[in-house]
Coordinates of all heavy atoms in Angstrom, one line a residue:
M1 N -24.8 -6.7 18.2 CA -23.9 -6.0 17.3 C -24.1 -4.5 17.6 O -25.2 -4.0 17.9 CB -24.4 -6.3 15.9 CG -24.0 -5.2 14.9 SD -24.1 -5.7 13.2 CE -22.6 -6.5 13.0
S2 N -23.0 -3.8 17.4 CA -23.0 -2.4 17.7 C -23.8 -1.7 16.5 O -23.8 -2.2 15.4 CB -21.6 -1.8 17.8 OG -21.0 -1.7 16.5
A3 N -24.5 -0.6 16.8 CA -25.3 0.1 15.8 C -24.4 0.7 14.7 O -24.8 0.7 13.6 CB -26.1 1.2 16.5
I4 N -23.2 1.1 15.1 CA -22.3 1.7 14.1 C -21.8 0.6 13.1 O -21.8 0.9 11.9 CB -21.0 2.3 14.8 CG1 -21.5 3.5 15.7 CG2 -20.0 2.7 13.8 CD1 -20.4 4.0 16.6
R5 N -21.5 -0.6 13.6 CA -21.0 -1.6 12.6 C -22.2 -2.0 11.7 O -22.1 -2.2 10.5 CB -20.5 -2.9 13.4 CG -20.1 -4.0 12.5 CD -19.4 -5.1 13.2 NE -18.1 -4.8 13.6 CZ -17.0 -4.8 12.8 NH1 -17.2 -5.2 11.5 NH2 -15.8 -4.5 13.2
R6 N -23.4 -2.2 12.3 CA -24.6 -2.6 11.5 C -24.9 -1.5 10.5 O -25.1 -1.8 9.3 CB -25.8 -2.7 12.5 CG -27.0 -3.2 11.8 CD -28.2 -3.3 12.8 NE -29.4 -3.7 12.2 CZ -29.7 -5.0 11.9 NH1 -28.9 -6.0 12.3 NH2 -30.9 -5.3 11.3
A7 N -24.8 -0.2 10.9 CA -25.0 0.8 9.9 C -24.0 0.9 8.8 O -24.3 1.1 7.6 CB -25.1 2.2 10.6
A8 N -22.7 0.6 9.1 CA -21.7 0.6 8.1 C -21.9 -0.6 7.1 O -21.7 -0.4 5.9 CB -20.3 0.4 8.8
I9 N -22.3 -1.7 7.6 CA -22.6 -2.9 6.7 C -23.8 -2.6 5.8 O -23.7 -2.8 4.6 CB -22.8 -4.1 7.5 CG1 -21.5 -4.6 8.2 CG2 -23.4 -5.3 6.6 CD1 -21.7 -5.7 9.2
L10 N -24.8 -2.0 6.4 CA -26.0 -1.7 5.5 C -25.7 -0.5 4.6 O -26.2 -0.5 3.4 CB -27.2 -1.3 6.4 CG -27.7 -2.5 7.3 CD1 -28.8 -2.1 8.2 CD2 -28.2 -3.6 6.4
K11 N -24.8 0.4 4.9 CA -24.4 1.5 4.0 C -23.6 0.9 2.8 O -23.8 1.3 1.7 CB -23.6 2.5 4.7 CG -23.4 3.8 3.9 CD -22.8 4.8 4.8 CE -22.6 6.1 4.0 NZ -22.1 7.2 4.9
L12 N -22.8 -0.1 3.1 CA -22.0 -0.8 2.1 C -23.0 -1.5 1.1 O -22.8 -1.4 -0.1 CB -21.0 -1.7 2.7 CG -20.2 -2.6 1.7 CD1 -19.3 -1.7 0.9 CD2 -19.4 -3.6 2.5
A13 N -24.0 -2.1 1.7 CA -25.0 -2.8 0.8 C -25.8 -1.8 0.0 O -26.0 -2.1 -1.2 CB -25.9 -3.7 1.7
A14 N -26.1 -0.7 0.6 CA -26.8 0.3 -0.2 C -26.0 0.9 -1.3 O -26.5 1.1 -2.4 CB -27.3 1.5 0.8
A15 N -24.7 1.1 -1.1 CA -23.8 1.6 -2.1 C -23.7 0.5 -3.3 O -23.8 0.9 -4.5 CB -22.4 1.8 -1.6
A16 N -23.7 -0.7 -2.9 CA -23.6 -1.8 -4.0 C -25.0 -1.8 -4.7 O -25.0 -2.0 -6.0 CB -23.4 -3.1 -3.3
Y17 N -26.1 -1.6 -4.0 CA -27.4 -1.6 -4.7 C -27.5 -0.4 -5.7 O -28.0 -0.6 -6.8 CB -28.5 -1.6 -3.6 CG -29.9 -1.6 -4.2 CD1 -30.4 -2.8 -4.6 CD2 -30.6 -0.5 -4.3 CE1 -31.7 -2.9 -5.1 CE2 -31.9 -0.5 -4.8 CZ -32.4 -1.7 -5.3 OH -33.7 -1.8 -5.8
E18 N -27.0 0.7 -5.3 CA -27.0 1.9 -6.1 C -26.2 1.7 -7.4 O -26.4 2.3 -8.4 CB -26.5 3.1 -5.4 CG -27.5 3.6 -4.3 CD -26.9 4.8 -3.5 OE1 -25.8 5.3 -3.8 OE2 -27.6 5.1 -2.5
M19 N -25.2 0.8 -7.3 CA -24.3 0.5 -8.5 C -25.0 -0.6 -9.3 O -24.4 -1.1 -10.2 CB -23.0 0.1 -8.0 CG -22.1 1.2 -7.4 SD -20.5 0.6 -6.8 CE -19.8 -0.1 -8.3
Q20 N -26.2 -1.0 -9.0 CA -27.0 -2.0 -9.6 C -26.3 -3.4 -9.6 O -26.3 -4.1 -10.5 CB -27.3 -1.6 -11.1 CG -28.1 -0.3 -11.2 CD -28.4 0.1 -12.6 OE1 -27.9 -0.5 -13.5 NE2 -29.3 1.1 -12.7
L21 N -25.7 -3.6 -8.4 CA -25.1 -4.9 -8.1 C -26.1 -5.8 -7.4 O -27.1 -5.3 -6.8 CB -23.8 -4.8 -7.3 CG -22.7 -3.9 -7.9 CD1 -21.6 -3.8 -6.9 CD2 -22.3 -4.5 -9.2
D22 N -25.9 -7.1 -7.4 CA -26.8 -8.0 -6.7 C -26.6 -7.9 -5.2 O -25.4 -8.1 -4.8 CB -26.6 -9.4 -7.1 CG -27.1 -9.7 -8.6 OD1 -28.0 -9.0 -9.0 OD2 -26.5 -10.5 -9.3
V23 N -27.6 -7.6 -4.4 CA -27.5 -7.5 -3.0 C -28.5 -8.4 -2.4 O -29.7 -8.3 -2.7 CB -27.7 -6.0 -2.5 CG1 -27.6 -5.9 -1.0 CG2 -26.6 -5.1 -3.1
M24 N -28.1 -9.2 -1.4 CA -29.0 -10.1 -0.7 C -28.9 -9.8 0.8 O -27.8 -9.5 1.3 CB -28.7 -11.6 -1.0 CG -28.8 -12.0 -2.4 SD -28.3 -13.7 -2.5 CE -28.2 -13.9 -4.3
N25 N -30.0 -9.9 1.4 CA -30.1 -9.6 2.9 C -31.0 -10.6 3.5 O -32.1 -10.8 3.0 CB -30.5 -8.2 3.1 CG -30.5 -7.8 4.6 OD1 -29.9 -8.5 5.4 ND2 -31.2 -6.7 4.9
G26 N -30.6 -11.3 4.5 CA -31.4 -12.2 5.2 C -30.6 -13.3 5.9 O -29.4 -13.2 5.9
T27 N -31.2 -14.2 6.5 CA -30.6 -15.3 7.2 C -30.1 -16.4 6.3 O -30.9 -16.8 5.4 CB -31.5 -15.9 8.3 OG1 -32.0 -14.9 9.1 CG2 -30.8 -16.9 9.1
L28 N -28.9 -16.8 6.4 CA -28.3 -17.9 5.5 C -28.8 -19.2 6.1 O -28.5 -19.5 7.2 CB -26.8 -17.8 5.5 CG -26.1 -18.9 4.7 CD1 -26.4 -18.8 3.2 CD2 -24.6 -18.8 4.9
M29 N -29.5 -20.0 5.3 CA -30.0 -21.3 5.7 C -30.1 -22.2 4.5 O -30.5 -21.8 3.4 CB -31.4 -21.2 6.4 CG -31.4 -20.3 7.6 SD -33.1 -20.2 8.3 CE -33.0 -21.7 9.2
P30 N -29.9 -23.5 4.7 CA -30.3 -24.5 3.6 C -31.8 -24.7 3.6 O -32.4 -24.7 4.7 CB -29.5 -25.7 4.0 CG -29.4 -25.6 5.5 CD -29.3 -24.2 5.8
D31 N -32.3 -24.9 2.4 CA -33.8 -25.2 2.4 C -33.9 -26.7 2.4 O -33.0 -27.5 2.7 CB -34.5 -24.6 1.2 CG -33.9 -25.1 -0.2 OD1 -33.2 -26.1 -0.2 OD2 -34.3 -24.5 -1.2
T32 N -35.1 -27.2 2.2 CA -35.4 -28.6 2.4 C -34.7 -29.5 1.3 O -34.5 -30.7 1.5 CB -36.9 -28.9 2.3 OG1 -37.4 -28.4 1.1 CG2 -37.6 -28.3 3.5
T33 N -34.3 -28.9 0.2 CA -33.6 -29.6 -0.9 C -32.1 -29.5 -0.7 O -31.4 -30.1 -1.5 CB -34.0 -29.1 -2.3 OG1 -33.6 -27.7 -2.4 CG2 -35.5 -29.2 -2.5
G34 N -31.6 -28.8 0.3 CA -30.2 -28.7 0.5 C -29.6 -27.5 -0.2 O -28.4 -27.3 -0.2
R35 N -30.4 -26.7 -0.9 CA -29.9 -25.5 -1.6 C -29.8 -24.4 -0.6 O -30.6 -24.3 0.3 CB -30.9 -25.1 -2.7 CG -30.9 -26.1 -3.8 CD -32.0 -25.8 -4.8 NE -31.7 -24.6 -5.6 CZ -31.0 -24.6 -6.7 NH1 -30.5 -25.8 -7.2 NH2 -30.7 -23.5 -7.4
W36 N -28.8 -23.5 -0.7 CA -28.6 -22.4 0.2 C -29.4 -21.2 -0.2 O -29.5 -20.9 -1.3 CB -27.1 -22.0 0.3 CG -26.3 -23.1 1.0 CD1 -25.5 -24.0 0.4 CD2 -26.2 -23.2 2.4 NE1 -25.0 -24.8 1.4 CE2 -25.3 -24.3 2.6 CE3 -26.7 -22.6 3.5 CZ2 -25.0 -24.8 3.9 CZ3 -26.4 -23.0 4.8 CH2 -25.5 -24.1 4.9
R37 N -30.0 -20.6 0.9 CA -30.9 -19.4 0.7 C -30.4 -18.3 1.6 O -30.0 -18.6 2.7 CB -32.3 -19.8 0.9 CG -32.9 -20.9 0.0 CD -34.4 -21.1 0.2 NE -35.1 -20.0 -0.5 CZ -35.3 -19.9 -1.8 NH1 -34.7 -20.7 -2.6 NH2 -36.1 -18.9 -2.3
V38 N -30.5 -17.1 1.1 CA -30.3 -15.9 2.0 C -31.6 -15.2 2.0 O -32.0 -14.6 1.0 CB -29.1 -15.0 1.4 CG1 -29.0 -13.7 2.2 CG2 -27.8 -15.8 1.3
G39 N -32.3 -15.2 3.1 CA -33.6 -14.7 3.1 C -34.5 -15.5 2.1 O -34.5 -16.7 2.2
G40 N -35.1 -14.8 1.2 CA -35.9 -15.4 0.2 C -35.2 -15.7 -1.1 O -35.7 -16.1 -2.1
H41 N -33.9 -15.4 -1.1 CA -33.1 -15.5 -2.4 C -32.4 -16.9 -2.4 O -31.8 -17.3 -1.4 CB -32.0 -14.4 -2.4 CG -32.6 -13.0 -2.3 ND1 -33.2 -12.4 -3.3 CD2 -32.6 -12.2 -1.2 CE1 -33.6 -11.2 -2.9 NE2 -33.3 -11.0 -1.6
D42 N -32.4 -17.5 -3.6 CA -31.7 -18.7 -3.8 C -30.2 -18.5 -4.1 O -29.9 -18.1 -5.2 CB -32.4 -19.5 -4.9 CG -31.8 -20.9 -5.1 OD1 -30.7 -21.2 -4.6 OD2 -32.5 -21.7 -5.8
L43 N -29.4 -18.6 -3.1 CA -27.9 -18.3 -3.3 C -27.3 -19.3 -4.3 O -26.5 -19.0 -5.1 CB -27.2 -18.4 -2.0 CG -25.7 -18.1 -2.0 CD1 -25.4 -16.7 -2.5 CD2 -25.2 -18.3 -0.6
T44 N -27.7 -20.6 -4.3 CA -27.2 -21.6 -5.2 C -27.4 -21.2 -6.6 O -26.5 -21.3 -7.5 CB -27.8 -23.0 -4.8 OG1 -27.6 -23.2 -3.4 CG2 -27.1 -24.1 -5.6
A45 N -28.7 -20.8 -6.9 CA -29.0 -20.4 -8.3 C -28.2 -19.2 -8.7 O -27.8 -19.1 -9.9 CB -30.5 -20.2 -8.4
W46 N -28.1 -18.2 -7.8 CA -27.3 -17.0 -8.1 C -25.9 -17.3 -8.4 O -25.3 -16.8 -9.4 CB -27.4 -16.0 -6.9 CG -26.7 -14.7 -7.2 CD1 -27.2 -13.6 -7.9 CD2 -25.3 -14.4 -6.9 NE1 -26.2 -12.7 -8.0 CE2 -25.1 -13.1 -7.4 CE3 -24.3 -15.1 -6.2 CZ2 -23.9 -12.5 -7.2 CZ3 -23.1 -14.4 -6.1 CH2 -22.9 -13.2 -6.6
L47 N -25.3 -18.2 -7.6 CA -23.9 -18.6 -7.9 C -23.8 -19.3 -9.2 O -22.8 -19.1 -10.0 CB -23.3 -19.4 -6.7 CG -23.1 -18.7 -5.4 CD1 -22.8 -19.7 -4.3 CD2 -22.0 -17.7 -5.6
A48 N -24.7 -20.2 -9.5 CA -24.7 -20.9 -10.8 C -24.8 -20.0 -12.0 O -24.2 -20.2 -13.0 CB -25.8 -22.0 -10.8
A49 N -25.6 -18.9 -11.8 CA -25.8 -17.9 -12.9 C -24.5 -17.1 -13.2 O -24.3 -16.6 -14.3 CB -26.9 -17.0 -12.6
H50 N -23.6 -17.1 -12.2 CA -22.4 -16.3 -12.4 C -21.2 -17.2 -12.5 O -20.1 -16.8 -12.4 CB -22.2 -15.4 -11.2 CG -23.2 -14.3 -11.2 ND1 -23.2 -13.2 -12.0 CD2 -24.4 -14.1 -10.4 CE1 -24.2 -12.4 -11.7 NE2 -25.0 -13.0 -10.8
E51 N -21.4 -18.5 -12.8 CA -20.3 -19.4 -13.0 C -19.4 -19.0 -14.1 O -19.8 -18.5 -15.1 CB -20.9 -20.8 -13.3 CG -19.8 -21.9 -13.4 CD -20.4 -23.3 -13.7 OE1 -21.6 -23.4 -13.7 OE2 -19.6 -24.2 -14.0
G52 N -18.1 -19.0 -13.8 CA -17.1 -18.6 -14.7 C -16.7 -17.2 -14.7 O -15.8 -16.8 -15.4
E53 N -17.5 -16.3 -14.0 CA -17.2 -14.9 -13.9 C -16.2 -14.6 -12.7 O -16.2 -15.4 -11.8 CB -18.5 -14.1 -13.7 CG -19.5 -14.2 -14.8 CD -20.7 -13.4 -14.5 OE1 -20.7 -12.5 -13.6 OE2 -21.8 -13.7 -15.1
E54 N -15.4 -13.6 -12.9 CA -14.6 -13.2 -11.8 C -15.5 -12.3 -10.9 O -16.0 -11.3 -11.4 CB -13.4 -12.4 -12.3 CG -12.4 -12.0 -11.2 CD -11.2 -11.3 -11.7 OE1 -11.1 -11.0 -12.9 OE2 -10.3 -11.0 -10.9
L55 N -15.6 -12.6 -9.6 CA -16.5 -11.9 -8.7 C -15.8 -11.4 -7.5 O -14.7 -11.9 -7.1 CB -17.6 -12.9 -8.2 CG -18.5 -13.6 -9.2 CD1 -19.4 -14.6 -8.5 CD2 -19.3 -12.6 -10.0
V56 N -16.4 -10.4 -6.8 CA -16.0 -10.0 -5.5 C -17.2 -10.3 -4.6 O -18.3 -9.7 -4.9 CB -15.7 -8.5 -5.5 CG1 -15.4 -8.1 -4.0 CG2 -14.4 -8.2 -6.3
L57 N -17.1 -11.1 -3.6 CA -18.2 -11.4 -2.8 C -17.9 -10.8 -1.4 O -16.9 -11.2 -0.8 CB -18.4 -12.9 -2.7 CG -19.5 -13.5 -1.8 CD1 -20.8 -13.0 -2.4 CD2 -19.4 -15.0 -1.7
V58 N -18.8 -9.9 -0.9 CA -18.6 -9.3 0.4 C -19.7 -9.9 1.3 O -20.9 -9.9 1.0 CB -18.8 -7.8 0.3 CG1 -18.7 -7.2 1.7 CG2 -17.7 -7.2 -0.6
L59 N -19.3 -10.5 2.4 CA -20.2 -11.1 3.3 C -20.1 -10.4 4.7 O -19.0 -10.4 5.3 CB -19.9 -12.6 3.5 CG -20.8 -13.4 4.3 CD1 -22.1 -13.5 3.5 CD2 -20.2 -14.8 4.5
G60 N -21.1 -9.7 5.1 CA -21.1 -9.0 6.4 C -22.1 -9.6 7.3 O -23.3 -9.5 7.0
S61 N -21.7 -10.1 8.5 CA -22.7 -10.6 9.4 C -23.2 -9.5 10.3 O -22.4 -8.7 10.9 CB -22.0 -11.7 10.3 OG -22.9 -12.1 11.3
L62 N -24.5 -9.3 10.4 CA -25.1 -8.3 11.2 C -25.1 -8.7 12.7 O -25.5 -8.0 13.6 CB -26.5 -8.0 10.8 CG -26.7 -7.4 9.4 CD1 -28.1 -7.2 9.0 CD2 -25.9 -6.1 9.3
E63 N -24.5 -9.9 13.0 CA -24.4 -10.4 14.4 C -23.0 -10.3 14.9 O -22.6 -10.7 16.0 CB -24.9 -11.8 14.5 CG -26.4 -11.9 14.2 CD -26.9 -13.3 14.1 OE1 -26.2 -14.2 14.6 OE2 -28.0 -13.5 13.7
D64 N -22.1 -9.7 14.1 CA -20.7 -9.5 14.4 C -20.5 -8.5 15.6 O -21.0 -7.4 15.5 CB -19.9 -9.0 13.2 CG -18.4 -9.0 13.4 OD1 -17.9 -9.1 14.5 OD2 -17.7 -8.9 12.4
E65 N -19.9 -8.9 16.6 CA -19.8 -8.0 17.8 C -18.5 -7.3 17.9 O -18.2 -6.6 18.9 CB -20.0 -8.9 19.1 CG -21.4 -9.5 19.2 CD -22.5 -8.5 19.4 OE1 -22.2 -7.3 19.8 OE2 -23.6 -8.8 19.0
R66 N -17.6 -7.4 17.0 CA -16.3 -6.7 17.0 C -16.6 -5.2 17.0 O -17.5 -4.7 16.3 CB -15.4 -7.0 15.9 CG -14.9 -8.4 15.9 CD -14.0 -8.7 14.7 NE -15.0 -8.8 13.5 CZ -14.5 -8.8 12.3 NH1 -13.3 -8.8 12.0 NH2 -15.4 -8.9 11.3
P67 N -15.8 -4.4 17.8 CA -16.0 -2.9 17.8 C -15.5 -2.4 16.4 O -14.6 -2.9 15.8 CB -15.1 -2.4 18.9 CG -14.1 -3.5 19.1 CD -14.8 -4.8 18.7
V68 N -16.1 -1.3 16.0 CA -15.7 -0.6 14.8 C -14.5 0.3 15.1 O -14.5 1.0 16.1 CB -16.9 0.3 14.3 CG1 -16.4 1.1 13.1 CG2 -18.1 -0.5 13.9
E69 N -13.5 0.2 14.3 CA -12.3 0.9 14.5 C -12.4 2.3 14.1 O -12.9 2.7 13.0 CB -11.2 0.2 13.7 CG -9.8 0.8 13.8 CD -8.8 0.1 13.0 OE1 -8.8 -1.1 13.0 OE2 -8.0 0.8 12.4
T70 N -12.0 3.2 15.0 CA -12.0 4.7 14.7 C -10.8 5.0 13.9 O -9.7 4.6 14.3 CB -12.1 5.5 16.0 OG1 -13.2 5.2 16.7 CG2 -12.1 7.0 15.7
R71 N -11.0 5.7 12.8 CA -9.8 6.0 11.9 C -9.6 7.5 11.9 O -10.5 8.3 12.2 CB -10.0 5.5 10.5 CG -10.1 4.0 10.4 CD -10.4 3.5 9.1 NE -11.8 3.7 8.9 CZ -12.5 3.1 7.9 NH1 -11.9 2.4 7.0 NH2 -13.8 3.3 7.8
V72 N -8.4 7.9 11.5 CA -8.1 9.4 11.4 C -8.0 9.7 10.0 O -7.3 9.1 9.2 CB -6.8 9.7 12.2 CG1 -6.5 11.2 12.0 CG2 -6.9 9.3 13.6
C73 N -8.8 10.7 9.5 CA -8.7 11.2 8.1 C -7.4 11.7 7.8 O -6.8 12.6 8.5 CB -9.8 12.2 7.9 SG -9.9 12.9 6.2
R74 N -6.8 11.3 6.7 CA -5.5 11.7 6.3 C -5.5 13.1 5.7 O -4.5 13.8 5.5 CB -4.9 10.8 5.2 CG -4.7 9.4 5.7 CD -4.3 8.5 4.6 NE -3.3 7.6 5.0 CZ -2.8 6.6 4.3 NH1 -3.2 6.5 3.0 NH2 -1.9 5.8 4.7
T75 N -6.7 13.6 5.4 CA -6.9 15.0 4.8 C -7.1 16.0 5.9 O -6.4 17.0 5.9 CB -8.0 15.0 3.8 OG1 -7.8 14.0 2.8 CG2 -8.2 16.3 3.1
C76 N -8.1 15.8 6.7 CA -8.5 16.9 7.7 C -8.1 16.5 9.1 O -8.2 17.4 10.0 CB -10.0 17.1 7.6 SG -11.0 15.8 8.2
G77 N -7.7 15.3 9.4 CA -7.3 14.9 10.7 C -8.4 14.6 11.7 O -8.1 14.3 12.8
R78 N -9.6 14.6 11.2 CA -10.8 14.2 12.1 C -10.9 12.7 12.3 O -10.6 12.0 11.4 CB -12.1 14.8 11.6 CG -12.2 16.3 11.7 CD -13.5 16.7 11.1 NE -13.8 18.1 11.4 CZ -13.4 19.1 10.6 NH1 -12.7 18.9 9.5 NH2 -13.7 20.4 10.9
D79 N -11.4 12.3 13.4 CA -11.7 10.9 13.7 C -13.1 10.6 13.0 O -14.0 11.4 13.1 CB -11.8 10.6 15.2 CG -10.4 10.7 15.9 OD1 -9.4 10.7 15.2 OD2 -10.4 10.9 17.1
Y80 N -13.2 9.4 12.5 CA -14.4 8.9 11.9 C -14.5 7.4 12.0 O -13.5 6.7 12.1 CB -14.6 9.4 10.5 CG -13.6 8.8 9.5 CD1 -14.0 7.7 8.7 CD2 -12.3 9.3 9.4 CE1 -13.1 7.2 7.8 CE2 -11.4 8.7 8.5 CZ -11.8 7.7 7.7 OH -11.0 7.1 6.8
T81 N -15.8 6.9 11.9 CA -16.0 5.4 12.0 C -16.7 5.0 10.7 O -17.0 3.8 10.6 CB -16.8 5.0 13.2 OG1 -18.0 5.8 13.2 CG2 -16.1 5.3 14.5
D82 N -17.0 5.8 9.8 CA -17.8 5.5 8.6 C -16.8 4.9 7.6 O -15.6 4.7 7.8 CB -18.4 6.8 8.1 CG -19.8 6.5 7.4 OD1 -20.0 5.3 7.1 OD2 -20.5 7.5 7.2
L83 N -17.3 4.7 6.3 CA -16.5 4.2 5.3 C -15.5 5.2 4.8 O -14.4 4.9 4.3 CB -17.3 3.7 4.1 CG -18.3 2.5 4.4 CD1 -19.2 2.3 3.2 CD2 -17.5 1.3 4.8
E84 N -15.9 6.5 4.9 CA -15.0 7.6 4.5 C -15.3 8.8 5.5 O -16.3 8.8 6.2 CB -15.2 8.0 3.1 CG -16.6 8.5 2.8 CD -16.8 8.9 1.3 OE1 -15.8 9.2 0.6 OE2 -18.0 8.9 0.9
C85 N -14.4 9.7 5.5 CA -14.6 10.9 6.4 C -15.8 11.7 6.0 O -15.9 12.2 4.9 CB -13.4 11.8 6.4 SG -13.5 13.3 7.3
P86 N -16.8 11.8 6.9 CA -18.1 12.5 6.5 C -17.9 14.0 6.3 O -18.5 14.6 5.4 CB -19.0 12.2 7.6 CG -18.2 11.8 8.8 CD -16.9 11.2 8.2
H87 N -16.9 14.6 7.0 CA -16.6 16.0 6.8 C -16.0 16.2 5.4 O -16.5 17.1 4.7 CB -15.6 16.5 7.9 CG -15.2 17.9 7.7 ND1 -16.0 18.9 8.0 CD2 -14.1 18.4 7.2 CE1 -15.4 20.1 7.8 NE2 -14.2 19.8 7.3
C88 N -15.0 15.5 5.0 CA -14.4 15.6 3.7 C -15.4 15.3 2.6 O -15.4 15.9 1.5 CB -13.1 14.8 3.6 SG -11.8 15.5 4.7
R89 N -16.2 14.3 2.8 CA -17.2 13.9 1.8 C -18.2 15.0 1.5 O -18.5 15.3 0.4 CB -17.9 12.6 2.2 CG -18.9 12.1 1.2 CD -19.6 10.8 1.7 NE -20.5 10.3 0.7 CZ -21.7 10.7 0.3 NH1 -22.2 11.7 1.0 NH2 -22.4 10.2 -0.6
A90 N -18.7 15.6 2.6 CA -19.6 16.7 2.5 C -19.0 17.9 1.8 O -19.6 18.5 0.9 CB -20.1 17.2 3.9
N91 N -17.7 18.2 2.1 CA -17.0 19.2 1.4 C -16.8 18.9 -0.1 O -16.9 19.8 -1.0 CB -15.7 19.5 2.0 CG -15.8 20.3 3.3 OD1 -16.8 21.1 3.5 ND2 -14.9 20.1 4.2
R92 N -16.5 17.7 -0.5 CA -16.3 17.3 -1.9 C -17.6 17.5 -2.6 O -17.6 18.1 -3.7 CB -15.9 15.9 -2.0 CG -14.4 15.6 -1.9 CD -14.0 14.2 -2.4 NE -14.8 13.2 -1.8 CZ -14.5 12.6 -0.6 NH1 -13.5 13.0 0.1 NH2 -15.3 11.6 -0.1
I93 N -18.7 17.1 -2.0 CA -20.0 17.2 -2.7 C -20.4 18.7 -2.8 O -20.8 19.2 -3.9 CB -21.1 16.5 -1.8 CG1 -20.9 15.0 -1.9 CG2 -22.5 16.9 -2.3 CD1 -21.8 14.2 -1.0
R94 N -20.1 19.5 -1.8 CA -20.4 20.9 -1.8 C -19.6 21.6 -2.9 O -20.1 22.4 -3.7 CB -20.2 21.6 -0.5 CG -20.5 23.1 -0.4 CD -20.2 23.6 1.0 NE -18.9 23.4 1.5 CZ -17.8 24.0 1.2 NH1 -17.8 25.0 0.3 NH2 -16.6 23.7 1.7
L95 N -18.3 21.3 -3.0 CA -17.4 22.0 -3.9 C -17.6 21.6 -5.3 O -17.3 22.4 -6.3 CB -15.9 21.7 -3.5 CG -15.5 22.4 -2.2 CD1 -14.1 21.9 -1.8 CD2 -15.5 23.9 -2.3
R96 N -18.2 20.4 -5.5 CA -18.5 20.0 -6.9 C -19.9 20.5 -7.3 O -20.3 20.2 -8.5 CB -18.4 18.5 -7.0 CG -17.0 17.9 -6.8 CD -17.0 16.5 -6.9 NE -15.6 16.0 -6.7 CZ -15.3 14.8 -6.3 NH1 -16.2 13.9 -6.0 NH2 -14.0 14.5 -6.1
G97 N -20.6 21.2 -6.5 CA -21.8 21.8 -6.8 C -23.0 20.9 -6.8 O -24.0 21.1 -7.4
H98 N -22.9 19.8 -6.0 CA -24.0 18.8 -6.0 C -24.9 19.1 -4.8 O -25.9 18.3 -4.6 CB -23.5 17.4 -5.9 CG -22.7 17.0 -7.1 ND1 -23.2 16.9 -8.3 CD2 -21.4 16.7 -7.2 CE1 -22.3 16.5 -9.2 NE2 -21.2 16.4 -8.6
A99 N -24.6 20.1 -4.0 CA -25.5 20.3 -2.8 C -26.4 21.5 -2.9 O -26.2 22.4 -3.7 CB -24.6 20.5 -1.6

């Protein structure tokens, strides 16, 4: 997997964690009882705990070999591969007085 794609997936997971959402990281495998686990987390129990809720489930494989698409920022015209243009993000933070 390319380092850029891996970093983008982990950054997405970090953003979800900062929003206090459930984030699991690890290898997906069934255990001896047939329950699905992600790393040390019981995926079956987590899904059962959220039964009946409307969810958004994002699944990113860290073994995905597809290249990351370079995009052009609609504001400044710079190329970027991140979730958002890092130049414009830095300027937004600076102009809002958070830097």
Side-chain angles (χ1 to χ4, degrees):
M1 157 168 277
S2 75
I4 294 172
R5 179 173 286 281
R6 182 179 180 88
I9 291 171
L10 293 175
K11 189 171 186 176
L12 177 63
Y17 183 78
E18 288 175 8
M19 292 176 57
Q20 298 179 352
L21 302 176
D22 294 328
V23 177
M24 296 179 193
N25 185 13
T27 304
L28 176 65
M29 301 180 81
D31 65 12
T32 56
T33 64
R35 297 173 68 87
W36 287 99
R37 301 188 74 74
V38 176
H41 306 282
D42 186 344
L43 182 59
T44 308
W46 182 84
L47 290 171
H50 293 281
E51 184 178 352
E53 296 178 23
E54 184 177 3
L55 303 174
V56 173
L57 182 63
V58 177
L59 188 69
S61 173
L62 295 178
E63 297 175 11
D64 189 345
E65 295 295 337
R66 289 178 292 170
V68 176
E69 184 178 317
T70 300
R71 294 176 283 194
V72 177
C73 179
R74 295 172 142 178
T75 304
C76 70
R78 288 180 169 88
D79 292 341
Y80 67 98
T81 56
D82 214 342
L83 298 174
E84 62 182 337
C85 174
H87 176 77
C88 291
R89 182 179 188 281
N91 284 332
R92 277 195 308 277
I93 291 170
R94 180 180 54 81
L95 292 171
R96 291 179 183 157
H98 297 295

